Amino acid sequence: MCDMTVELAERVRTAADSGMPLHLHGGNTKAFLGHPVRGEALSLHDHSGVLHYEPSELVITARAGTPLREIEDLLAAEGQMLAFEPPHYGDTATLGGTLAAGLSGPRRPWAGAARDFMLGCRLLNGRGEDLHFGGEVMKNVAGYDLSRLQVGAHGTLGVILEASLKVLPRPETEQTLVQERSEAEAIELMNDWGGDPLPLSGACYDGDHLYLRLSGAETAVKAASRKLGGEAHPDPDRFWRRLREQELSFFRHQAPLWRCAVAPASPPLGLDAAQLIDWGGGLRWLASRQPAERIRRQAAEAGGHATLYRHGDEATARFHPLPPPMLALHQRIKRSLDPQGILNPGRMYPEL
Amino acid sequence: MSTAASTVERPSRARIIADLQALLGDAGLLHLPEDLHPYECDGLSAYRQLPLAVALPETVEQVRAVLGYASRHAIPVVARGAGTGLSGGALPHTEGILLSLAKFNRILDIDPRNRTARVQPGVRNLAISEAAKPYGLYYAPDPSSQIACSIGGNVAENSGGVHCLKYGLTVHNLVELEILTIDGERLRIGNAAPDAPGYDLLALMTGSEGMLGVITEVTVKLLPIPERAQVILAAFDDVARAGHAVGAIIAAGIIPAGLEMMDRLAIRAAEDFVHAGYPEVEAILLCELDGTNEEVSEHISQVRRLLQTHGAVEVRTATDEAERARFWQGRKAAFPAVGRISPDYYCMDGTIPRSRLAEVLTRIGELSREYDLAVANVFHAGDGNLHPLILYDANNPGELERTEEFGGRILELCVEVGGTITGEHGVGMEKIDQMCVQFRPLELAQFHAIKAAFDPAGLLNPGKAVPTLHRCAEFGAMHVHQGQLPHPELERF
Ligand SMILES: Cc1cc2nc3c(=O)[nH]c(=O)nc-3n(C[C@H](O)[C@H](O)[C@H](O)COP(=O)(O)OP(=O)(O)OC[C@H]3O[C@@H](n4cnc5c(N)ncnc54)[C@H](O)[C@@H]3O)c2cc1C
Ligand SMILES: Cc1cc2nc3c(=O)[nH]c(=O)nc-3n(C[C@H](O)[C@H](O)[C@H](O)COP(=O)(O)OP(=O)(O)OC[C@H]3O[C@@H](n4cnc5c(N)ncnc54)[C@H](O)[C@@H]3O)c2cc1C
């Protein structure tokens, strides 16, 4: 528990004055994401501590450096959870890094993404100004939504100091069913069932098997599992955690790992690649040495985009290129929050 | 804003009208005073102003042409959906163009496999669910104005409804937008995938009150229609106890599809009006549960037990669709019902942390005595969104001013306990003063900088949503005179 707001603001102001870029880091777990930043390290790790947690309000507020694990343990003790199931990618993952990276786990299509749970935050903009947007209540439409804008901005629009997140009760019961399927069948089924009123909370395909997680009241889970059929997974929690943390054997491929977010019902992408499908079809992980342009084109044709996630070469852009007018707008937004361009410059795009 | 306008030679009024006519055709432009009157206000009728002209484009090209023209000549543009906004967001600018999206009323595509609907911005909220129904799908956010309000307006206001406790606000149910910037740049924001590259501009656009761009297309997420929905009515002889029951349901891990509360005055007004069969008590709670058959059964019995242990004096469960509708009817009619018992009322909208409910209601009661004005409380209890209705009579000298001051104190109270000055109606014109209560100058300056990234000359909806730093002048709010509601055909929440 430590409040470093004053020091952090001072560091950012000094950087703004001298034009020296800062490289924000929390727990050092997502270093592989995005491009390296050349700049002075600004550690958020020690700016930590849960500030407010009221289980009956379904809200938790914590400083950015608070370990994700600490937050999850605290919630679990009250029968609650971060419903977007953020990946940790290591023991030291922090809340700030989680939000800045904007990553969500298997429950995302049903419960929502990281940004959907962001209620408000306190941040330092690139002038070192300490600003507060949003709040701790579920409904708030005062002013532009600058807190959700920070989610997935990879620290290029502000240093997140504190965040208030909506939390949800843990489901009473969970069960995971496993069925042997082809890729095309799995995609069909995930989307058929996605349109039915079923208590689904996970749907993933590993190349051989379709995994369906059901969550909710015990009777409802039982009824749905009779309807869907399949073998009950013996250790479902471990399976979904290893999926989320990229510990399944698929992720041991040494080829570049691509994250393709697409319209969920898109047919198989048909690229020469090992593949794992999550989010009921909306997320296709590819381990592939195909040219980046080819993968990006396929993903775009399926309504989405492709991120080079791991094992990329230096020369390939990590994030899907933005059309020129969109990039120009991004640059103007970046300048409005960080006029000197000192916060994680180049981490997402060289122009930001 | 005015700085940009002063550097550009502004064409005469007649010139502007002739130029716009050339772009839109005769049928696409209104400029005679009698034609402009229907547009002089939105749902907040206390503020009225005629625009220079009303543009009614039919194609995106025409919208682009209007924006391009406005941009070149530094003419303000105010977008308008259905005009049901309650904060004066679509109040015209006297020197500007009111850009109505009313003709953009087509549903372009329902994609049942991907569970999305692509629609034009003028499509009514309810029309989306109607079109999705044959596929067993619906659009979850359901403002009470849903039969009239447009999806474009919903995006601009980040509208919510009874369902938003469980299913989220507009921002949680959008997939993609097409917008035109004031320079006529056409941008697609988001995409058909669960997320999009770059910054989350979908979040930034949602709730931006027509200040950043004109929305010309909206793709929303559709959800499977739940197998079953059932509502419980619980009566309490103490408002605070009802408040605690709300917390208890949520703490038990149950997220109802709707959790609404009314106090004695609201109940009495509603009962006299629609005869819903409400008991005469201090507070009633309506709790709707939806999901699979099994889940609803299980939750109904759990919630009944919780309500009883938390002091409900009576608990009724609707046994069929007709009874469910009757339970809701009183709640939905609460606004017009209050309109019948008082010459005028002023509808407030603020959010507070749920745990402070009892305290805030007590303080509102004290303020009510201090200002000698009655208050009926109707609210989305599940998410702490209050709609206190202050009853007054505009014919009594000074009462309107007292009402506005009282309303302002309620919003300040919301901020003081950790809440916000607007839960769902937006800032618009109405709450621009209270923005200065919730935000400090540095934050307001940051909002202006964001605005400038989209609209450097400040031509889109100038003077709304974010106060200029030196100006926190007086503006009023939704006043209802003689029960004459701006949109009498709508149910009120
Ligand atoms: C002293 C030091 C020097 C380093 N130098 C380099 C170097 O020169 N080059 C290099 O590639 N790596 C360097 N690293 C590794 C670096 O920490 C990671 O590359 C990167 O910061 C990812 O952050 P993370 O792993 O801590 O992940 P997380 O903490 O999970 O962060 C993920 C993303 O969020 C951003 N972020 C984290 N916290 C916040 C916050 N509170 N507000 C806003 N954004 C936030 C991060 O910048 C990153 O983009 C260095 C690490 C240290 C400790
Ligand atoms: C009886 C009644 C009940 C209501 N209940 C609720 C409720 O339960 N929940 C709730 O959230 N609200 C409620 N409202 C408020 C209102 O219905 C919503 O704010 C609604 O979203 C407004 O939609 P509209 O199409 O009428 O927008 P308008 O009033 O026309 O415009 C609202 C704002 O959106 C902007 N705008 C409109 N269209 C566009 C576009 N295409 N591009 C860019 N900007 C645009 C306008 O400039 C303006 O700032 C209620 C209103 C009434 C009258």
Side-chain angles (χ1 to χ4, degrees):
Chain A
M1 188 83 176
C2 180
D3 181 358
M4 298 181 47
T5 307
V6 175
E7 295 91 314
L8 291 168
E10 187 55 41
R11 286 282 308 277
V12 176
R13 276 196 298 270
T14 308
D17 288 345
S18 67
M20 169 55 115
L22 292 173
H23 177 187
L24 281 46
H25 61 91
N28 248 336
T29 58
K30 296 169 186 70
F32 63 89
L33 265 182
H35 299 279
V37 176
R38 242 184 287 282
E40 251 176 53
L42 181 71
S43 173
L44 278 311
H45 186 269
D46 294 335
H47 182 66
S48 70
V50 172
L51 298 171
H52 189 209
Y53 172 42
E54 186 67 59
S56 75
E57 295 284 340
L58 304 176
V59 176
I60 190 164
T61 301
R63 293 199 186 100
T66 313
L68 197 52
R69 169 142 313 144
E70 183 182 326
I71 291 176
E72 290 181 341
D73 289 348
L74 193 65
L75 297 176
E78 298 290 338
Q80 297 186 335
M81 62 178 181
L82 293 177
F84 59 103
E85 291 189 318
H88 292 228
Y89 299 152
D91 293 337
T92 53
T94 63
L95 177 65
T98 299
L99 294 171
L103 303 176
S104 311
R107 205 179 296 267
R108 187 256 174 271
W110 297 275
R115 54 92 86 166
D116 293 310
F117 292 89
M118 178 74 133
L119 296 177
C121 74
R122 190 169 159 193
L123 61 89
L124 296 171
N125 65 9
R127 296 181 195 90
E129 292 165 353
D130 177 357
L131 309 174
H132 199 164
F133 299 107
E136 294 194 295
V137 290
M138 303 289 157
K139 275 166 109 185
N140 179 2
V141 294
Y144 303 125
D145 195 342
L146 293 192
S147 30
R148 280 195 184 88
L149 185 66
Q150 300 298 323
V151 182
H154 293 270
T156 60
L157 295 181
V159 179
I160 301 169
L161 291 175
E162 298 168 15
S164 297
L165 297 183
K166 177 178 173 175
V167 301
L168 283 179
R170 278 165 173 262
E172 185 185 311
T173 321
E174 289 200 325
Q175 189 180 8
T176 294
L177 302 169
V178 188
Q179 305 178 354
E180 202 171 319
R181 297 287 180 185
S182 73
E183 182 187 356
E185 266 177 348
I187 295 171
E188 276 287 304
L189 288 174
M190 287 192 276
N191 286 286
D192 280 350
W193 289 326
D196 287 343
L198 289 164
L200 274 174
S201 66
C204 142
Y205 179 70
D206 68 358
D208 298 309
H209 294 94
L210 173 61
Y211 299 79
L212 300 163
R213 180 171 60 184
L214 298 163
S215 305
E218 195 177 336
T219 47
V221 168
K222 279 206 178 117
S225 95
R226 275 193 302 275
K227 181 173 171 191
L228 299 181
E231 295 285 311
H233 194 291
D235 194 355
D237 287 352
R238 178 159 183 271
F239 171 79
W240 295 103
R241 191 182 60 247
R242 292 182 71 224
L243 168 65
R244 184 190 74 188
E245 298 300 339
Q246 303 197 330
E247 290 164 0
L248 296 176
S249 59
F250 166 82
F251 294 101
R252 277 184 227 127
H253 279 280
Q254 285 309 302
L257 178 68
W258 287 88
R259 175 192 187 276
C260 298
V262 298
S266 306
L269 293 184
L271 286 156
D272 173 27
Q275 206 181 151
L276 182 135
I277 303 179
D278 195 5
W279 293 4
L283 194 57
R284 316 271 169 105
W285 293 101
L286 310 180
S288 173
R289 296 191 195 280
Q290 296 266 334
E293 304 73 58
R294 174 120 205 273
I295 292 173
R296 296 216 143 110
R297 201 173 338 111
Q298 286 296 106
E301 276 167 19
H305 60 107
T307 309
L308 177 52
Y309 211 73
R310 290 183 196 261
H311 315 308
D313 59 40
E314 288 296 298
T316 311
R318 291 305 182 106
F319 296 97
H320 205 94
L322 300 170
M326 199 56 157
L327 180 61
L329 178 60
H330 274 63
Q331 287 175 299
R332 294 197 300 273
I333 292 171
K334 163 87 171 163
R335 268 201 301 276
S336 81
L337 279 144
D338 176 20
Q340 308 302 323
I342 52 155
L343 301 177
N344 273 0
R347 176 108 173 128
M348 291 177 85
Y349 295 98
E351 300 86 352
L352 295 182
Chain B
M1 288 159 219
S2 54
T3 47
S6 58
T7 58
V8 180
E9 190 70 50
R10 189 184 158 93
S12 69
R13 194 189 131 86
R15 180 79 252 161
I16 294 173
I17 288 168
D19 288 344
L20 290 173
Q21 260 166 345
L23 296 175
L24 297 164
D26 275 346
L29 192 79
L30 305 175
H31 58 90
L32 300 173
E34 62 269 30
D35 294 334
L36 299 181
H37 273 294
Y39 297 90
E40 67 182 355
C41 67
D42 60 7
L44 175 60
S45 56
Y47 296 100
R48 295 168 194 272
Q49 221 154 262
L50 291 183
L52 188 152
V54 176
L56 290 154
E58 273 180 73
T59 65
V60 175
E61 271 320 305
Q62 285 180 334
V63 176
R64 195 214 287 263
V66 170
L67 293 176
Y69 181 80
S71 183
R72 279 194 302 283
H73 299 289
I75 302 168
V77 176
V78 178
R80 178 182 169 109
T84 69
L86 290 177
S87 55
L91 179 73
H93 192 285
T94 45
E95 313 244 297
I97 301 167
L98 187 77
L99 181 71
S100 164
L101 280 306
K103 290 185 181 172
F104 285 80
N105 58 2
R106 282 177 34 235
I107 292 182
L108 300 171
D109 182 37
I110 303 268
D111 179 348
R113 298 294 297 159
N114 284 303
R115 279 109 49 213
T116 57
R118 194 162 62 85
V119 306
Q120 292 188 322
V123 168
R124 292 171 307 116
N125 172 298
L126 190 61
I128 303 176
S129 288
E130 284 166 353
K133 196 169 176 194
Y135 305 99
L137 302 169
Y138 78 114
Y139 175 62
D142 56 345
S144 339
S145 51
Q146 69 180 152
I147 61 165
C149 64
S150 75
I151 190 72
N154 289 176
V155 175
E157 298 287 5
N158 192 16
S159 295
V162 165
H163 275 134
C164 74
L165 172 62
K166 183 164 175 181
Y167 298 103
L169 302 153
T170 306
V171 69
H172 302 109
N173 290 278
L174 294 178
V175 178
E176 188 170 5
L177 295 176
E178 181 189 81
I179 68 159
L180 289 183
T181 64
I182 184 70
D183 320 312
E185 191 83 68
R186 198 167 171 168
L187 300 174
R188 293 204 77 87
I189 289 181
N191 56 36
D195 49 34
Y199 296 147
D200 192 345
L201 301 188
L202 213 49
L204 189 57
M205 280 305 298
T206 313
S208 64
E209 304 199 27
M211 306 275 292
L212 303 182
V214 173
I215 298 152
T216 50
E217 196 181 291
V218 183
T219 306
V220 300
K221 201 158 88 179
L222 301 174
L223 298 180
I225 298 173
E227 213 165 66
R228 177 172 157 203
Q230 201 160 12
V231 64
I232 298 180
L233 184 157
F236 291 86
D237 53 18
D238 175 52
V239 180
R241 226 170 281 153
H244 293 310
V246 168
I249 293 170
I250 291 177
I254 297 171
I255 307 291
L259 193 48
E260 301 285 311
M261 193 163 147
M262 294 162 78
D263 72 0
R264 176 178 276 279
L265 193 49
I267 299 167
R268 182 150 33 91
E271 189 53 29
D272 289 350
F273 186 33
V274 298
H275 311 291
Y278 288 164
E280 240 182 79
V281 283
E282 287 306 314
I284 62 171
L285 211 55
L286 288 167
C287 176
E288 180 152 302
L289 298 157
D290 72 4
T292 62
N293 245 318
E294 299 80 11
E295 191 162 35
V296 173
S297 302
E298 202 167 311
H299 283 168
I300 287 275
S301 48
Q302 249 177 300
V303 169
R304 284 187 65 98
R305 238 176 295 124
L306 278 170
L307 289 165
Q308 271 147 356
T309 54
H310 281 82
V313 292
E314 192 186 340
V315 180
R316 301 183 203 162
T317 306
T319 50
D320 56 23
E321 208 32 51
E323 195 172 12
R324 173 173 166 241
R326 200 159 54 246
F327 281 6
W328 277 118
Q329 204 182 10
R331 169 65 184 84
K332 293 190 177 191
F335 284 20
V338 168
R340 290 168 79 244
I341 60 167
S342 171
D344 305 272
Y345 71 79
Y346 176 21
C347 169
M348 307 301 300
D349 162 45
T351 309
I352 56 162
R354 258 188 313 262
S355 60
R356 311 290 292 268
L357 202 61
E359 176 191 344
V360 168
L361 290 176
T362 308
R363 299 264 304 267
I364 291 177
E366 285 162 16
L367 287 169
S368 163
R369 283 187 292 279
E370 182 184 329
Y371 284 90
D372 193 23
L373 293 166
V375 179
N377 281 294
V378 176
F379 44 89
H380 309 295
D383 38 39
N385 186 192
L386 313 180
H387 291 311
L389 307 176
I390 306 176
L391 314 194
Y392 71 102
D393 184 349
N395 290 326
N396 294 342
E399 208 157 298
L400 170 72
E401 292 70 24
R402 236 169 54 236
T403 303
E404 283 185 342
E405 194 183 307
F406 180 6
R409 299 259 314 257
I410 293 179
L411 296 181
E412 284 159 26
L413 173 61
C414 289
V415 174
E416 185 194 312
V417 300
T420 163
I421 58 165
T422 173
E424 58 181 16
H425 292 170
V427 175
M429 199 69 178
E430 177 197 16
K431 291 184 175 163
I432 206 144
D433 285 358
Q434 274 80 27
M435 283 292 278
C436 305
V437 178
Q438 190 168 337
F439 295 102
R440 294 163 305 153
L442 281 180
E443 283 136 5
L444 296 176
Q446 186 62 66
F447 286 146
H448 285 294
I450 287 286
K451 160 83 170 163
F454 285 79
D455 175 19
L459 295 174
L460 278 174
N461 217 359
K464 310 281 175 62
V466 184
T468 51
L469 296 178
H470 57 273
R471 183 198 137 283
C472 270
E474 281 287 309
F475 285 104
M478 174 175 161
H479 295 276
V480 179
H481 182 55
Q482 301 285 344
Q484 280 170 344
L485 290 163
H487 285 271
E489 75 284 10
L490 301 181
E491 296 171 332
R492 305 273 149 165
F493 266 74

